[in-house]
């Protein structure tokens, strides 16, 4: 493969030995296909981060480990790489470990592998399970700080959580649905990808509590365990809508919104109000098409900047700072899209 990088840089990016990388690059064989793919991905990552691969400044190699749908992992990668120049004079390099769905053992193996080979820090989105908390403890014991993103592991040894106040976000969704539905009768579908994600669980708790107070006459119908993937979400939503013909609104705390909308369409049902999270490519399109009523959004670039700076503080590269507030929750409609989304594409 033609590339401008020293073998040691590719090896560091891939987390492999220089001998293994040399064998792959020179097509000497005797290497597993998955390892070959890791080397190719490392070179692609270096290409994307090329402005950071330079002389000068202190270098931080950070691992981002996430179990999340591709639409959100892509948003996280883009947000981090957009923020890299703002972290100068420090040089932040990143390795990505993304899974849409996987057993806890696979995430734990990834975390333990990072602990063995070393890293300056880990940004983590994972289910809040005791065995994952234990793996975080082993990681921190080696001197590698961990920052949780979007969904917290509060009982673990993580250094900090970066993201929104998820209970407040759920309560905000309940308020918006209550305002838009008014006195119109009907029930509400609440969808989460999996109950083991603390962030989504807290969103659902905040939503349920606020709905109980403000709209006690409405029933809440819950769909879970889809991992936020359209392939599994659609059937679960279809079943829920068939069970309750009075569902007229949706709060999506965990994604899979294309499948949810398709389920309503398949049954010829109206979704009068639909509140979702995050301006990923799906939700941006659905908001443009007026199929979502509003998106609860936060500045993911700011979150990634904060996460990186927290790791730098753990290494005494930045002065200590008091605990920061949760990220601000933005209620986004087609008329107040954040910068970077072309308003001209929106029709009135």
């Amino acid at each position: 493969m033609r590339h401008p990088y020293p073998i040691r840089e590719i090896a560091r990016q891939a987390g492999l030995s220089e001998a293994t990388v040399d064998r792959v690059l020179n097509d000497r064989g005797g290497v597993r296909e998955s390892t070959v793919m890791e080397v190719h991905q490392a070179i692609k990552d270096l290409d994307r981060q090329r402005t950071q691969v330079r002389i000068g400044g202190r270098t931080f190699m950070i691992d981002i480990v996430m179990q999340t749908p591709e639409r959100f992992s892509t948003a996280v990668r883009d947000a981090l790489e957009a923020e890299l120049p703002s972290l100068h004079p420090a040089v932040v390099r990143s390795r990505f470990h993304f899974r849409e769905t996987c057993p806890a053992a696979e995430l734990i193996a990834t975390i333990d592998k990072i602990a063995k080979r070393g890293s300056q820090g880990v940004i983590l989105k994972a289910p809040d399970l005791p065995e994952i908390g234990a793996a975080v403890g082993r990681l921190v014991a080696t001197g590698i700080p961990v920052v949780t993103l979007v969904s917290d592991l509060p009982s673990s040894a993580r250094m900090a959580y970066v993201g929104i106040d998820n209970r407040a976000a759920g309560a905000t969704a309940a308020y918006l649905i209550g305002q838009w539905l008014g006195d119109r009768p009907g029930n509400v579908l609440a969808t989460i990808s999996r109950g083991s994600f603390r962030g989504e669980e807290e969103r659902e708790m905040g939503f349920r509590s606020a709905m109980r107070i403000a709209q006690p006459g409405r029933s809440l119908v819950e769909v879970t365990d889809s991992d936020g993937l359209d392939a599994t979400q659609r059937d679960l939503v279809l079943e829920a809508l068939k069970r309750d013909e009075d569902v007229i609104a949706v709060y999506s705390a965990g994604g899979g919104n294309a499948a949810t909308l398709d389920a309503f369409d398949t049954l010829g049902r109206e979704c009068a109000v639909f509140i979702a999270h995050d301006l990923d490519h799906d939700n941006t399109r659905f908001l443009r098409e007026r199929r979502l009523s509003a998106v609860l959004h936060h500045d993911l670039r700011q979150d990634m900047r904060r996460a990186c700076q927290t790791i730098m503080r753990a290494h005494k590269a930045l002065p200590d700072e008091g605990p920061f507030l949760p990220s601000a929750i933005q209620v986004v409609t087609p008329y107040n899209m954040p910068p970077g989304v072309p308003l001209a594409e929106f029709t009135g």
Side-chain angles (χ1 to χ4, degrees), residues 13-55:
Q13 183 72 32
L16 300 169
S17 70
E18 293 183 23
T20 298
V21 171
D22 181 72
R23 183 174 291 276
V24 171
L25 294 179
N26 291 287
D27 198 23
R28 294 198 179 97
V31 181
R32 289 179 300 179
E33 182 61 28
S34 60
T35 302
V36 174
M37 292 175 62
E38 287 178 6
V39 172
H40 290 184
Q41 185 60 52
I43 292 172
K44 291 178 183 178
D45 289 341
L46 286 169
D47 284 338
R48 293 170 64 97
Q49 302 169 38
R50 193 165 185 174
T51 58
Q52 289 282 298
V53 183
R54 60 179 180 78
I55 297 174

Side-chain angles (χ1 to χ4, degrees), residues 170-179 181 186-190 203-220 249 251:
T172 300
Y175 172 80
L176 293 173
I177 287 177
Q179 290 295 303
L181 289 182
N187 298 329
V188 181
L189 180 71
R203 290 174 187 177
E204 194 273 340
M205 291 171 64
F207 181 77
R208 185 177 293 275
S209 177
M211 285 294 294
R212 187 182 301 117
I213 294 171
Q215 304 263 304
R218 298 192 193 280
S219 296
L220 298 185
Y251 170 46

Side-chain angles (χ1 to χ4, degrees), residues 27-329:
D27 198 23
R28 294 198 179 97
V31 181
R32 289 179 300 179
E33 182 61 28
S34 60
T35 302
V36 174
M37 292 175 62
E38 287 178 6
V39 172
H40 290 184
Q41 185 60 52
I43 292 172
K44 291 178 183 178
D45 289 341
L46 286 169
D47 284 338
R48 293 170 64 97
Q49 302 169 38
R50 193 165 185 174
T51 58
Q52 289 282 298
V53 183
R54 60 179 180 78
I55 297 174
R58 184 171 173 180
T59 299
F60 295 86
M61 178 62 79
I62 296 176
D63 289 89
I64 296 87
V65 181
M66 301 179 66
Q67 181 181 332
T68 192
E70 179 273 337
R71 60 182 176 269
F72 188 68
S73 62
T74 296
V76 167
R77 183 196 291 266
D78 291 346
L80 174 60
E81 293 178 348
E83 281 301 302
L84 292 180
S86 74
L87 299 170
H88 288 173
V91 177
V92 174
R93 299 265 300 283
S94 48
R95 292 183 292 231
F96 300 96
H97 315 269
F98 295 151
R99 301 286 187 277
E100 285 202 308
T101 180
C102 65
E106 188 172 326
L107 279 178
I108 291 167
T110 298
I111 293 170
D112 286 340
K113 182 178 179 181
I114 293 169
K116 183 177 180 180
R117 76 182 179 196
S119 177
Q120 273 70 57
V122 171
I123 299 173
L124 177 65
K125 179 181 181 290
D128 185 15
L129 301 173
E131 56 268 37
I132 290 180
V136 169
R138 294 192 294 273
L139 196 61
V140 172
T142 68
I144 300 174
V146 175
V147 176
T148 52
L149 177 71
V150 178
S151 190
D152 198 11
L153 304 174
S155 299
S156 72
R158 60 93 171 121
M159 182 178 182
Y161 162 73
V162 172
I164 60 173
D165 179 332
N166 285 296
R167 283 180 184 260
T172 300
Y175 172 80
L176 293 173
I177 287 177
Q179 290 295 303
W180 269 316
L181 289 182
D183 295 330
R184 179 176 177 177
N187 298 329
V188 181
L189 180 71
T191 70
I192 62 176
S193 69
R194 194 161 290 276
S196 55
F197 281 98
R198 175 63 69 101
E200 291 182 27
E201 181 184 39
E202 290 182 343
R203 290 174 187 177
E204 194 273 340
M205 291 171 64
F207 181 77
R208 185 177 293 275
S209 177
M211 285 294 294
R212 187 182 301 117
I213 294 171
Q215 304 263 304
R218 298 192 193 280
S219 296
L220 298 185
V221 179
E222 184 175 296
V223 165
T224 187
D225 295 341
S226 70
D227 291 311
L229 302 178
D230 290 327
T232 49
Q233 178 89 351
R234 182 179 182 275
D235 288 343
L236 291 171
V237 174
L238 276 173
E239 292 174 8
L241 293 180
K242 290 175 182 177
R243 288 196 308 269
D244 191 326
E245 296 184 354
D246 294 325
V247 170
I248 60 168
V250 175
Y251 170 46
S252 170
N257 301 328
T260 299
L261 287 167
D262 185 60
F264 273 87
D265 291 345
T266 298
L267 297 177
R269 297 269 291 275
E270 177 194 11
C271 183
V273 183
F274 196 136
I275 308 297
H277 277 267
D278 302 317
L279 279 177
D280 57 39
H281 48 77
D282 281 353
N283 288 345
T284 299
R285 175 167 59 89
F286 293 138
L287 194 60
R288 178 183 302 126
E289 295 170 352
R290 305 300 196 274
R291 305 214 65 193
L292 297 182
S293 307
V295 172
L296 302 182
H297 181 64
H298 61 285
D299 188 342
L300 193 53
R301 287 182 56 170
Q302 175 181 281
D303 286 351
M304 299 311 295
R305 182 170 65 251
R306 284 178 164 180
C308 291
Q309 290 172 338
T310 299
I311 290 171
M312 291 179 190
R313 290 189 179 94
H315 293 282
K316 309 301 181 185
L318 289 175
D320 287 337
E321 189 176 83
F324 41 75
L325 296 173
S327 304
I329 302 168

